[in-house]
Structure formats: C-alpha cells, structure tokens
Amino acid sequence: MGNVTIVGAQWGDEGKGKVVDYLAREADVVVRFNGGNNAGHTVVIEGEKFIFHLLPSGITHPGVKCVIGNGVVIDPLVLIKELENLKAKKIDVKNRLFISDRAHLIMPYHKAIDILREEKRGAKKIGTTGRGIGPAYEDKVGRRGIRIYELLKPELFKEHLKDVLEEKNLYITRVLGGEGFDFQKIYDEYMKTADILSPFIKDTSRYLKKWIEEKKKIIFEGAQGFMLDIDHGTYPYVTSSNTIPAEVAIGAGVPPESIGTVLGVSKAYTTRVGGGPFPTELFDEIGNALRDRGNEYGSTTGRPRRCGWIDIPALRKAVEVGGLKGLIITKLDVLSGLDKIAICTAYTIDGKEIDEYPPDVNDLSRVKPEYEVMAGWKSPLSGISSFEALPEEAKNYLQRIEKLTGVEIYGVSVGPDRSSFILRKNPFIS
Ligand code: IMP
C-alpha cells in the first residue's frame, strides 16, 4: 500500500480532478502542492458539476482530509467563495481542511500586474489566466511575498503590506499605467478573510509526516501539466510553478520517497489554452469537432481551448523527466465516431527527425509532426466498465500509446461523470 501522485502530462486540463476524485474513494488524504486558482479541477457527481480552483478534488468525500500545501499560492477571497459553495451543498470541511501556514498569498496587486502586463505584451502575451499567479510566485522568490500565517498576526501583516504596497503602487502606476491600491481597503478585506480561514491554517508538513507514519493513503494532486512547468515546459509560455512530480516534495513539504506511485494524466488527444507552440494543433473541422464534443472551454476562464492529436514526443518527455510509472487516459469517448485517429510519433525540422525535445519555442513552433494513422471506432463508450469491453480499435489505440510511451495505462475515462471511469490497475497497490 502506498501513496499516489497524479500530475498532468500535457498542457493542463487533462481531467486530473476527475481522476483524483475517483481515486479519493480509497484515500485518506488529498494534497494540492502547486499552482493556485489558475487551476479548475472539475468533478461531476451524478450530473452535478463541481469546479475546484484551490480546494483539493477529494473534498466531496466526507472522510477525506484535504491539504493545501506550502507550494500553492492562495487568493483568500477565491478560497472563501469555494468554501461557501461547499457549505451551500452541505459539504462540511471542519477538521478536514488543512492550509499550510507557509503558503503565499495572492494579493490584489498581483492580479492587476498580471493583467496589465499581458495587455502590454500585446501579440506576445502568454495568455495567462489573469489570476495573479506569476506575480505572486515572483514575490515569493523575490523574498517579498506575504505568507498566509501573517493573516493571523495583524500587526505583522500591516507592516509587511505597507512596505510592499508602496513599491507595487509605484510600479503599477508609473510602469504599467494602472491604478494604485489603497492600503486600508486591502488590509480590511484580508483581515476579514483571516477570521474565516484561521481555523484551517496549520503546519501541514507535520500533519503529513504523521499521516505518512500511520500509513494513511495519500494522493498528491498536481495542477496544470508537464508542458506548463516553469523549468521543463515550453518556456516562456508556461505557468510560474513546477508542475512535475518532483515538486510534490517541495510544495507539500514531504520527503521525496513518500510521493508513491506517480501517474500522468493525458487526454486521448491534446489541448492547450493560452499562447505558445502546440505541434499537433488542428485548425480544421476535426479540431473544431474535438472542441465541441469535448466541451473544450476553460473551466477557469471559459476560453476556447486549442485542440489537436495526441503528441507522443511531448508525453515521452513528461514520462522521462517526471519518472511517470503509468498514464491515465481521459476523454477517450470524445474520439468515438471518428473514422481515423492520428498519433504524432515524432517531430521533424527541415525534413530531419529530431530526437531531443527543443528547449527553444521558436524551434518548437517550426517542428512538423509525423503521424501514424489508426482506425477509429463507431460505437459510443458510455456504460463500458472494463478495459476488455472497449471496442477493439479503442484497445489498439491505447495499446499503441503504451508501446510508444513505454508505460502502462492504469485507467481510462469514458465520460464526464464520476462513474464513467475504468480502473485497470490500482495505483495504491502497484
Ligand atoms: P498562469 O498560470 O495564469 O500564469 O498562465 C500561464 C499559462 O498557463 C497560460 O497559457 C495558461 O493558459 C496556462 N494555464 C495555467 N493554469 C492552467 C490550467 O489549470 N489548465 C490549463 N492551462 C493553464
């Protein structure tokens, strides 16, 4: 018995929320360790849709403890809204939500800087979610960030905010041409959040240490995906945190050996939202069909997602760097009805196959995907509950992905609801 780490193996939006929710039925604890409310993890339970931006996707399971680790950047106003939504649905979080005292806060000026910078970048914009994620992580690394425990120490918070705000207001007004922020307004607003959040703010590493010793089953829930990792992704078109499994140890504050079985989640095709290269992007009716059938619109921003075929060189890189033991393939049902399905098996530049994943986005935007075409399947997949019962063509497609990536497929999702999931191999025991 061990722990399980679930990360995105593509450009985010792979369906990690659904996978974590499914596996959480067997777990004791679910932990978020990176990102912030740029994430939008969707869980559908008997037709009812929940979108979690900060809360771990195990939160709807009454017995499961949920941790927001130190590596997450927290907008307290968003978190409170999520807690209110849960309360309205009669989901109690008392004694089972733990927020790391060391997590950094997203402040109103972070959001403003994020949005104003993107406007300034014009055509070169990254396409961020506008939630202040990058500027909050910049302040963390720049050693001027405000951590959530400071909300519990009003005098400290006041002094820190005053110091930081002066510089931020100068930057926002003089460099970015925006409007400055009023100290008192932010102070009052954030102090109100302190009253609500204080019971949850803890040294979460200590709790996790205890649960690890007690051999509780823990799921570490990644946000975004491999190709959005600040170091290993398609820089600079990436998010500002590390999204790979190695970040679990840092962002949750646990020993590296406790991260357990590491699985990457990949859609049966590929999507990307925001700017940056996307080698297998489709601009034709198949791309549009994938967007329509897969409802490929951002769960955080509502933006239409760019769609394309599955990209093996990108997945291989995620397997290699992340040390993924296996994959979980989601949205297989979206491909039903297509005559042919293409798999990108390699990239070429100027007619020559490249075997390294290019670090330069200019090169990556020039690569030509090489495709292998497989037969599709006609019948819908809804209601199928075992791997064996999938249409032969679907099984062939999945087996081909296994062969090309070199790792096993542990599970397949065949529809949005919690019940539309086939677990082929239990990651807690293997
Ligand atoms: P940021 O994380 O808001 O700074 O956005 C940086 C890039 O990451 C943009 O291309 C976003 O669209 C992308 N991104 C951030 N979070 C997610 C996510 O949860 N799913 C998919 N893309 C994301």
Side-chain angles (χ1 to χ4, degrees):
M1 293 287 167
N3 300 329
V4 176
T5 288
I6 299 292
V7 290
Q10 300 173 305
W11 276 278
D13 306 322
E14 298 93 350
K16 297 173 291 291
K18 178 184 169 164
V19 172
V20 170
D21 167 66
Y22 183 90
L23 296 174
R25 66 180 64 189
E26 239 196 272
D28 301 298
V29 187
V30 179
V31 188
R32 274 278 308 266
F33 59 88
N34 77 304
N37 59 309
N38 46 351
H41 291 183
T42 306
V43 173
V44 183
I45 306 167
E46 288 164 15
E48 191 177 6
K49 195 170 176 177
F50 296 80
I51 301 178
F52 299 118
H53 300 288
L54 281 163
L55 290 169
S57 301
I59 200 81
T60 66
H61 295 266
V64 173
K65 294 191 167 52
C66 286
V67 178
I68 301 178
N70 57 279
V72 176
V73 283
I74 300 177
D75 183 330
L77 304 169
V78 173
L79 181 55
I80 286 172
K81 207 157 188 40
E82 280 190 31
L83 290 173
E84 282 167 359
N85 289 344
L86 281 186
K87 202 168 174 190
K89 293 188 173 170
K90 306 228 174 331
I91 298 174
D92 190 11
V93 299
K94 201 166 161 223
N95 297 329
R96 63 186 197 93
L97 175 65
F98 301 76
I99 303 169
S100 169
D101 45 13
R102 286 148 170 91
H104 280 247
L105 286 173
I106 296 181
M107 305 298 291
Y109 46 79
H110 290 137
K111 277 180 274 182
I113 292 171
D114 194 359
I115 293 165
L116 288 164
R117 276 210 199 119
E118 282 283 274
E119 277 169 18
K120 247 185 162 316
R121 279 188 193 113
K124 287 189 178 156
K125 71 176 181 196
I126 289 165
T128 72
T129 58
R131 302 299 191 256
I133 306 295
Y137 278 115
E138 276 174 42
D139 276 357
K140 172 178 177 174
V141 177
R143 293 159 296 182
R144 55 184 170 260
I146 303 181
R147 296 196 280 177
I148 202 164
Y149 77 86
E150 295 180 49
L151 290 178
L152 309 180
K153 300 184 170 198
E155 282 312 308
L156 180 71
F157 180 74
K158 188 182 269 179
E159 201 185 314
H160 199 167
L161 178 61
K162 264 193 183 142
D163 287 350
V164 176
L165 192 61
E166 199 182 326
E167 193 184 310
K168 295 294 171 194
N169 275 343
L170 277 175
Y171 179 63
I172 290 170
T173 53
R174 304 251 180 107
V175 179
L176 299 177
E179 265 184 48
F181 286 86
D182 177 58
F183 165 80
Q184 200 59 42
K185 204 163 163 245
I186 301 181
Y187 179 79
D188 293 343
E189 196 173 34
Y190 273 58
M191 275 301 117
K192 265 192 232 148
T193 69
D195 294 340
I196 302 167
L197 297 178
S198 64
F200 306 112
I201 299 174
K202 313 262 184 216
D203 180 352
T204 48
S205 274
R206 296 204 69 190
Y207 285 86
L208 284 166
K209 179 176 185 288
K210 181 171 155 283
W211 294 328
I212 290 167
E213 280 166 7
E214 290 170 359
K215 305 234 177 306
K216 299 282 187 218
K217 288 191 202 172
I218 305 174
I219 302 174
F220 296 100
E221 176 183 11
Q224 292 82 48
F226 178 83
M227 282 297 166
L228 291 172
D229 182 271
I230 184 76
D231 284 276
H232 301 281
T234 49
Y235 189 90
Y237 296 95
V238 291
T239 191
S240 297
S241 70
N242 286 106
T243 61
I244 62 171
E247 179 60 19
V248 172
I250 296 166
V254 295
E257 67 271 15
S258 57
I259 76 170
T261 304
V262 180
L263 300 183
V265 184
S266 166
K267 279 180 193 163
Y269 47 98
T270 310
T271 64
R272 170 163 210 176
V273 61
F278 178 2
T280 62
E281 185 167 10
L282 292 167
F283 299 95
D284 56 8
E285 69 280 7
I286 295 183
N288 293 335
L290 292 175
R291 185 173 308 106
D292 288 347
R293 292 178 195 195
N295 191 24
E296 295 297 353
Y297 296 89
S299 47
T300 297
T301 58
R303 291 179 290 177
R305 295 179 185 142
R306 301 154 67 191
C307 299
W309 296 120
I310 200 158
D311 181 336
I312 299 296
L315 279 180
R316 271 202 204 116
K317 187 79 180 150
V319 169
E320 202 177 293
V321 177
L324 306 185
K325 183 136 186 248
L327 290 172
I328 290 179
I329 302 294
T330 58
K331 291 195 156 181
L332 188 65
D333 53 305
V334 172
L335 298 184
S336 300
L338 293 178
D339 288 334
K340 305 242 176 278
I341 297 169
I343 302 183
C344 166
T345 54
Y347 298 158
T348 58
I349 291 187
D350 300 330
K352 279 202 210 98
E353 188 172 321
I354 52 168
D355 72 341
E356 275 185 6
Y357 207 87
D360 183 347
V361 284
N362 298 305
D363 291 336
L364 197 55
S365 51
R366 284 199 313 127
V367 301
K368 195 173 154 292
E370 294 297 306
Y371 287 113
E372 192 176 295
V373 177
M374 298 189 73
W377 57 93
K378 289 277 169 249
S379 52
L381 305 182
S382 56
I384 294 183
S385 57
S386 76
F387 191 83
E388 289 64 38
L390 287 168
E392 273 320 298
E393 295 85 352
K395 278 190 275 190
N396 291 342
Y397 179 61
L398 294 172
Q399 279 156 0
R400 190 70 189 129
I401 294 171
E402 285 187 317
K403 181 103 190 43
L404 290 166
T405 57
V407 290
E408 260 180 292
I409 292 176
Y410 276 58
V412 184
S413 167
V414 292
D417 204 83
R418 183 187 257 179
S419 56
S420 305
F421 190 77
I422 303 167
L423 187 66
R424 197 179 174 206
K425 190 167 175 180
N426 188 336
F428 287 110
I429 50 177
S430 54

